[in-house]
Amino acid sequence: MIYQGVHRLKGAGLGRLTALLATLAFVLLFAWPHPAGAGQEGFDPWKLNWVDPWAASQSKVPEQPLNSSTIPTLGDAGFWPLLRAVSMYEQIRDWGGWKAVPAGEKIEKGQRDHRMALIRERLLATGDLSASNGDPQLYSDEVYEAVRRFQRRHGLAADGIIGPRTIQAMNVPVEKRIAQIKLNLERLNEQSGKLGKRYIFVNIAGQEVEAVANGRVEMRRRVVVGKTDRQTPEYTSAINYITFNPYWNVPQSIARRDIIPKVQRDPGYLKRMGIRVLSGYGPNPREIDPYSVDWSSASAQSLRLRQDPSRRNSLGTVRIHFPNPHAVYLHDTPSKSLFSRVTRAYSSGCVRVDQVHDLVEWLLQDTPGWDRERIDRVVQSGENTDVSLAASVPIYMMYLTAWVSEDGAVNFRDDIYSLDRQVHAASVGG
């Protein structure tokens, strides 16, 4: 087994991993509608049409096709290509790396710009551009496709426009990319135990989920992860049950930071959102009229808020559970437009899954009686329903900012939580 040899290097750190590279041949891898009567007697919040509050708040980006590779990111299939990528980038460093591209106006296909010669050289260095022909200052069709390839593997909108974010990614020094690859190689090496015949992998930095069976990715979906101040944690557990049409028991931290300030500005907010105010827990908690509460008082923060199942429910139509001390889970969302964003760090720590019913069907395929028809029927019923999996499915939530896809492209993602930077600072300081 590959990892048996690699594990012997763990005590010696990355220096020994780099030494292992010497034995490898160099491989080029390449807002809500709010009627005036809201909050007044007789107002029916359920007659309002759902409006995705994110749909019009930001301009849409070009649709990014999901990686269709069946090769999983974890395990041997992900480890060895990333190890070879270190060799590739060290060779680029030895060849002189690349020069920085000056900032300036965005460049679009067909335009001429004095920076294009440097951009061509930069794309040639990492194999995004195979050859540089013609006018060196012209943004040609050939270079346009190379730029789009570069953008895709760096998690940028593949629109071919050379703007500030694309130039910023081009200007990351090769030494920093080498350090980034090595750090993620160590992360993969740490997750080197038996992954299981079927498992779920959530790449937090990559903002995707993989469903893997028998060493093949059977499904990939986009996910929305936690904001920088409410980070999705790295954790390993096992999915054991699923809730359809869930209630959302609002965590006190979210109630304090998000919901109570909205109620203070708009007393009708809770009713519109289908959120009840409860006193205590248990099967029959006492419900409190939200208009009778002084929401500016400290005691208001101790009240329990629970959102009923509905199309407005923050968890959408399904919640996927796995034991963890962080109170996080995978779930649906009514705000579907977020999945079209290139960067998807918007949640309060839980993971929202695009087309989540596909993932639920995959998870329940070994649970008798739960085919897609029944899943859809239960969702449509609106009834709160728990289903235990016949066999739990391992879930690995990891923060990977570098990996290699099936076509050999070395992928990089932004260090959205600054975890790479913290590790680098600790290694320099230590």
Side-chain angles (χ1 to χ4, degrees), residues 113-406:
D113 191 287
H114 69 280
R115 293 170 293 167
M116 283 307 305
L118 278 175
I119 291 171
R120 286 169 176 251
E121 290 180 12
R122 172 64 185 85
L123 296 170
L124 283 167
T126 46
D128 296 290
L129 182 65
S130 58
S132 181
N133 302 312
D135 184 348
Q137 295 192 9
L138 177 65
Y139 189 7
S140 65
D141 291 346
E142 180 184 35
V143 180
Y144 172 80
E145 292 303 326
V147 168
R148 294 187 69 231
R149 182 178 190 273
F150 177 90
Q151 290 171 329
R152 280 193 296 270
R153 64 187 191 86
H154 286 80
L156 303 171
D159 55 12
I161 298 173
I162 306 174
R165 289 202 65 196
T166 298
I167 290 178
Q168 183 181 26
M170 288 181 174
N171 286 345
V172 175
V174 66
E175 293 82 3
K176 185 173 180 179
R177 290 304 189 198
I178 293 170
Q180 185 176 358
I181 295 170
K182 288 182 177 180
L183 174 57
N184 284 274
L185 190 64
E186 189 73 3
R187 286 173 176 147
L188 288 179
N189 191 36
E190 289 293 329
Q191 190 59 66
S192 59
K194 288 189 64 175
L195 296 170
K197 181 179 177 181
R198 301 178 77 239
Y199 66 87
I200 296 292
F201 165 56
V202 176
N203 186 348
I204 300 167
Q207 297 162 35
E208 288 186 2
V209 59
E210 294 177 0
V212 181
N214 300 312
R216 290 173 57 86
V217 176
E218 296 190 336
M219 182 185 306
R220 270 195 183 85
R221 293 292 182 266
R222 296 178 180 87
V223 300
V224 172
V225 298
K227 306 172 186 177
T228 55
D229 62 339
R230 307 185 195 184
Q231 299 176 9
T232 297
E234 292 188 279
Y235 201 72
T236 297
S237 184
I239 296 168
N240 52 9
Y241 76 98
I242 293 169
T243 299
F244 293 104
N245 305 307
Y247 289 93
W248 181 40
N249 290 294
V250 182
Q252 285 194 339
S253 60
I254 295 178
R256 182 179 65 254
R257 297 167 69 177
D258 297 335
I259 295 182
I260 290 178
K262 292 178 181 177
V263 180
Q264 290 171 345
R265 295 190 299 268
D266 175 11
Y269 175 80
L270 294 179
K271 189 174 183 180
R272 252 191 346 273
M273 295 298 295
I275 298 176
R276 302 182 187 277
V277 184
L278 305 175
S279 177
Y281 291 82
N284 298 300
R286 181 170 63 91
E287 185 170 354
I288 300 173
D289 182 353
Y291 292 98
S292 70
V293 176
D294 178 4
W295 292 103
S296 63
S297 67
S299 61
Q301 298 184 10
S302 64
L303 293 173
R304 176 185 169 202
L305 303 181
R306 188 185 73 184
Q307 190 176 34
D308 291 338
S310 77
R311 57 187 173 179
R312 292 172 174 76
N313 189 288
S314 294
L315 306 184
T317 59
V318 67
R319 179 174 56 201
I320 300 171
H321 300 262
F322 49 92
N324 69 89
H326 308 285
V328 299
Y329 34 79
L330 311 185
H331 65 90
D332 186 19
T333 176
S335 299
K336 310 295 186 186
S337 65
L338 288 178
F339 295 116
S340 69
R341 311 288 177 205
V342 172
T343 300
R344 299 182 292 277
Y346 293 101
S347 83
S348 294
C350 290
V351 178
R352 308 173 192 174
V353 182
D354 190 21
Q355 302 175 60
V356 69
H357 296 164
D358 294 342
L359 183 61
V360 168
E361 180 183 10
W362 186 89
L363 287 167
L364 290 176
Q365 66 183 235
D366 295 331
T367 302
W370 283 95
D371 57 12
R372 184 57 179 262
E373 182 181 353
R374 186 177 182 189
I375 290 170
D376 292 342
R377 188 167 64 248
V378 171
V379 168
Q380 288 299 319
S381 75
E383 295 181 7
N384 177 249
T385 306
D386 289 336
V387 181
S388 295
L389 272 65
S392 61
V393 176
I395 179 169
Y396 305 92
M397 301 173 66
M398 294 175 61
Y399 185 86
L400 292 183
T401 59
W403 67 91
V404 178
S405 53
E406 186 178 33

